[in-house]
Amino acid sequence: THLDFTEAAEKFGRVGGFAHLRTLVKQLRGQVSEDASLLLDGGDTWQGSGTALWTRGMDMVGAANLLGVDVMTGHWEFTYLEEEILSNVAAFNGEFVSQNTRATEDALFDGVPVYDEDSGHVFKPYTMKTVNGRRVAIIGQAFPYTPIANPKRFIPNWTFGIRESEL
């Protein structure tokens, strides 16, 4: 969001769609050493197209894998059912992080799958990467208003929110 898209288009050419995006990512990553870049995804990737709807996001997981996404969090990915989200996360080659997605107490009692039973985190809350010899923390902040934006029946066992004090 900080890019000047007109300037970027003049410098890098057409950008749009995964084919153009893959070309740009390969070009940019080719200009630095292998450990000098991270490709982050803030969500909205697994949802929004007809094919994503038909495959419940799995086609976009494949596209993100081909693109080389290293770490992502969720936004409209949570419009799918819990089982579908977990299946997509399992198929994703990168890391899916979310510090603000927790299992409800009832869900924990019922044995719903979580990353950490003690904290109730459904997903790994953060990850540490080494980029160009420096440690970088990536904290997942999933869309906090998911229960308001989507029917509760999609994700009945998970809670969201901003969780600023825990962040």
Side-chain angles (χ1 to χ4, degrees), residues 127-143:
T127 189
M128 297 293 293
K129 299 288 185 185
T130 301
V131 180
N132 222 15
R134 292 184 170 81
R135 287 175 38 117
V136 176
I138 299 123
I139 302 168
Q141 179 68 23
F143 182 52

Side-chain angles (χ1 to χ4, degrees), residues 7-53:
E7 180 184 320
E10 289 172 3
K11 182 175 180 181
F12 299 113
R14 290 184 58 161
V15 178
F18 268 78
H20 290 290
L21 190 55
R22 176 66 178 142
T23 300
L24 177 59
V25 169
K26 281 181 75 170
Q27 178 186 356
L28 292 173
R29 282 190 156 175
Q31 296 172 7
V32 297
S33 65
E34 189 175 322
D35 71 337
S37 71
L38 285 174
L39 184 55
L40 307 178
D41 183 332
D44 283 354
T45 303
W46 300 350
Q47 189 276 340
S49 69
T51 58
L53 175 64

Side-chain angles (χ1 to χ4, degrees), residues 6 9 32 34 39 47 53 56 62 66-68 70 80-81 101-102 122 138 144 149 161:
T6 303
V32 297
E34 189 175 322
L39 184 55
Q47 189 276 340
L53 175 64
R56 307 306 287 166
L66 290 172
L67 195 58
D70 296 302
Y80 300 121
L81 301 175
T101 308
R102 304 282 176 86
V122 175
I138 299 123

